[in-house]
Amino acid sequence: MAKNIYIGNLNYDTTEDTLRAAFAAYGEVTSVNIVTVANPGAELEDLVKSSNRDWGLATNPDWLKGQQYDLVLFSGGGNDIVGDELINYLKQWREGLKGTELVKETVFQRKLDDMEDQYRTLRKTVDRFVGKSTPILTHGYDYAHATGQGLDLIGGILTVGPWILPNFKKKKIDKQSDHRIILKYLVNEFNKRLAQLSKAGGIEQFRYINLRGQLQANDWDDELHPTAGGRDRLAKVVRKRIVEVD
């Protein structure tokens, strides 16, 4: 059966040809249309209901109107967790504190509450402009690494990041063991919230993909982004779930 799918937050290197090739193994791709509606570093609120830019889904839904989507694949939230916001979740290191004791858990849980509100707004937006029966498929993230490696753009002329290690350094959190424990906690809590929203009593027609454990240390291009091989491994998991959606 043919499906018309909206896919959000694609990599900026994605072209119509690469997107077509990614789905070709699962059937004929009859049309591809890429619309740029976000900027690098965008947080979930920017993607859903930005009021000061022209691409918030809820505030500027024109490109959703009149479309007959069988599925909305939405990717977001990573920048809320380990982007510029990270420093807000960290305590200043002092003797005796380690691991999750260095996390401002109340602050982070409030952030997850705010993110949940964005997903609920997304559901209402899709209900209004696409249809209440249209599933939303989203995903969590695998465990990022505080390597201090940024993302090289334009052949290395421009570097974006790093995002994680500098924030740890600002808080004097220097042990790699603490880095791993903190990042694992943040990623796990985000995934747990998405899983809860996908269950009864959460958000209607909201499906969640668990991507933890898919990437190895050598599958990361920088602190946040996987290599081409890593992206392909994640894409296979996502494609499988797309095909399974009724």
Side-chain angles (χ1 to χ4, degrees), residues 159-177:
T159 299
V160 180
W163 305 264
I164 301 174
L165 189 60
N167 285 314
F168 280 133
K169 287 183 176 180
K170 289 175 184 177
K171 293 294 186 176
K172 307 298 182 184
I173 303 173
D174 297 325
K175 291 185 178 179
Q176 291 184 0
S177 57

Side-chain angles (χ1 to χ4, degrees), residues 73-245:
L73 175 59
F74 184 81
S75 175
N79 291 315
D80 297 76
I81 299 172
V82 290
D84 293 338
E85 292 279 334
L86 174 61
I87 196 167
N88 297 325
Y89 316 137
L90 302 176
K91 297 177 183 177
Q92 189 73 26
W93 180 88
R94 67 175 187 272
E95 191 68 40
L97 293 183
K98 61 181 180 180
T100 55
E101 295 170 341
L102 290 161
V103 177
K104 297 178 181 177
E105 294 189 37
T106 301
V107 174
F108 184 62
Q109 291 299 325
R110 282 202 299 264
K111 180 63 175 181
L112 291 179
D113 291 342
D114 291 341
M115 295 171 72
E116 178 177 331
D117 288 342
Q118 306 308 320
Y119 283 110
R120 292 187 181 278
T121 298
L122 174 64
R123 178 70 266 175
K124 292 176 182 177
T125 302
V126 173
D127 286 352
R128 181 180 178 187
F129 296 104
V130 181
K132 291 185 178 181
S133 63
T134 304
I136 295 174
L137 182 62
T138 191
H139 62 83
Y141 293 94
D142 209 337
Y143 304 111
H145 295 263
T147 60
Q149 178 65 46
L151 173 64
D152 290 332
L153 301 172
I154 319 176
I157 297 176
L158 175 65
T159 299
V160 180
W163 305 264
I164 301 174
L165 189 60
N167 285 314
F168 280 133
K169 287 183 176 180
K170 289 175 184 177
K171 293 294 186 176
K172 307 298 182 184
I173 303 173
D174 297 325
K175 291 185 178 179
Q176 291 184 0
S177 57
D178 287 330
H179 299 168
R180 289 192 293 270
I181 291 171
I182 291 169
L183 291 171
K184 187 172 183 178
Y185 166 79
L186 298 176
V187 171
N188 281 344
E189 287 297 303
F190 176 55
N191 277 274
K192 184 169 79 173
R193 183 65 66 101
L194 291 178
Q196 290 171 344
L197 293 177
S198 69
K199 295 177 181 177
I203 299 176
E204 292 292 329
Q205 291 281 41
F206 188 84
R207 319 287 176 85
Y208 151 71
I209 307 172
N210 180 8
L211 294 177
R212 287 170 293 181
Q214 296 294 327
L215 302 177
Q216 303 301 315
N218 61 354
D219 288 324
W220 293 90
D221 219 5
D222 53 64
E223 289 190 322
L224 298 183
H225 304 95
T227 61
R231 292 195 299 271
D232 185 60
R233 188 173 298 115
L234 297 177
K236 288 178 180 177
V237 177
V238 174
R239 288 197 296 264
K240 183 174 183 293
R241 284 298 303 275
I242 289 174
V243 173
E244 293 171 350
V245 172

